[in-house]
């Protein structure tokens, strides 16, 4: 229903037709960027987890795929994978392995990959998509975080969409 919705909003919007279309284009570009960056980050984090747990005798491919899917769930997704695995290893007597898996997942995947590498992934995807939107990758990253804290799971989508709409509207009033 994309065209129907676009036509409806163009008809009822007090904005000029070109400005309504620009709002939709900017929002569409940001949503594509968020979708691809979320997908690639999930795959990357899954690979990091799968390769690491393979050293402890687990099926690396299986756990890479499972962690990738679980990491799509904000905040608790990764915990749903590494906590039971660490508890299992602790219960079977491998206390060092349990601690190493927990620390690796928290430090390398949650802090380094999710906080520092994800903005780099967003920037790379923006360049590869020839995205003309003028949003800083860090702004998109922080809008995802703000959306998560405000709207929960749907904040991954709503945060960047609201931010891009806000910035697009501000551009209309820029008199330069």
């Amino acid at each position: 229903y994309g065209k129907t919705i676009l036509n409806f909003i163009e008809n009822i919007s007090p904005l000029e037709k070109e400005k309504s279309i620009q709002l939709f284009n900017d929002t569409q570009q940001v949503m594509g960027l968020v979708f691809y960056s979320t997908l690639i980050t999930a795959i990357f984090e899954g690979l990091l987890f799968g390769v690491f747990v393979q050293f402890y005798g687990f099926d690396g491919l299986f756990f890479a795929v499972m962690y990738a899917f679980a990491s799509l769930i904000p905040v608790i997704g990764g915990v749903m994978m590494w906590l039971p695995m660490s508890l299992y290893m602790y219960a079977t007597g491998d206390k060092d392995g349990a601690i190493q898996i927990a620390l690796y997942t928290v430090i390398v995947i949650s802090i380094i990959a999710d906080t520092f590498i994800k903005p780099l992934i967003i920037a790379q995807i923006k360049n590869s998509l020839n995205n003309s939107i003028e949003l800083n990758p860090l702004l998109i990253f922080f809008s995802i975080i703000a959306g998560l804290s405000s709207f929960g799971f749907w904040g991954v989508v709503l945060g960047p969409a609201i931010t891009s709409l806000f910035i697009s509207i501000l551009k209309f009033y820029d008199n330069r």
Side-chain angles (χ1 to χ4, degrees), residues 93 113 121 133 141 151-153 159 168:
I121 291 172
I133 192 76
F141 173 72
F151 302 110
F153 178 74
S168 295

Side-chain angles (χ1 to χ4, degrees), residues 3-17:
K3 274 288 193 205
T4 306
I5 293 172
L6 177 62
N7 291 333
F8 176 74
I9 292 177
E10 284 176 0
N11 291 333
I12 66 167
S13 174
L15 296 172
E16 300 164 5
K17 183 177 180 177

Side-chain angles (χ1 to χ4, degrees), residues 24 68 78 104 107 124 135-136 148-149 152 161 167:
F24 271 100
Y104 173 83
I107 294 170
Q124 280 299 119
L135 290 179
N136 188 313
L148 281 171
S149 65
I167 290 175

Side-chain angles (χ1 to χ4, degrees), residues 13 58 65 95 110 114 133 165:
S13 174
F58 294 102
V65 171
K95 295 175 185 173
S110 296
D114 214 26
I133 192 76
L165 280 172

Side-chain angles (χ1 to χ4, degrees), residues 4-6 14 25 30 35 39 42 48-49 53 64 81 84 96 104 106 111 116 119 150 153 161 163 168 172-173:
T4 306
I5 293 172
L6 177 62
N25 287 339
V30 169
F35 173 76
L39 187 65
L48 287 175
F49 187 74
V53 299
M81 291 302 300
D96 291 337
Y104 173 83
V106 169
I111 295 174
F116 298 113
S150 299
F153 178 74
T163 302
S168 295
F172 293 154
Y173 297 105

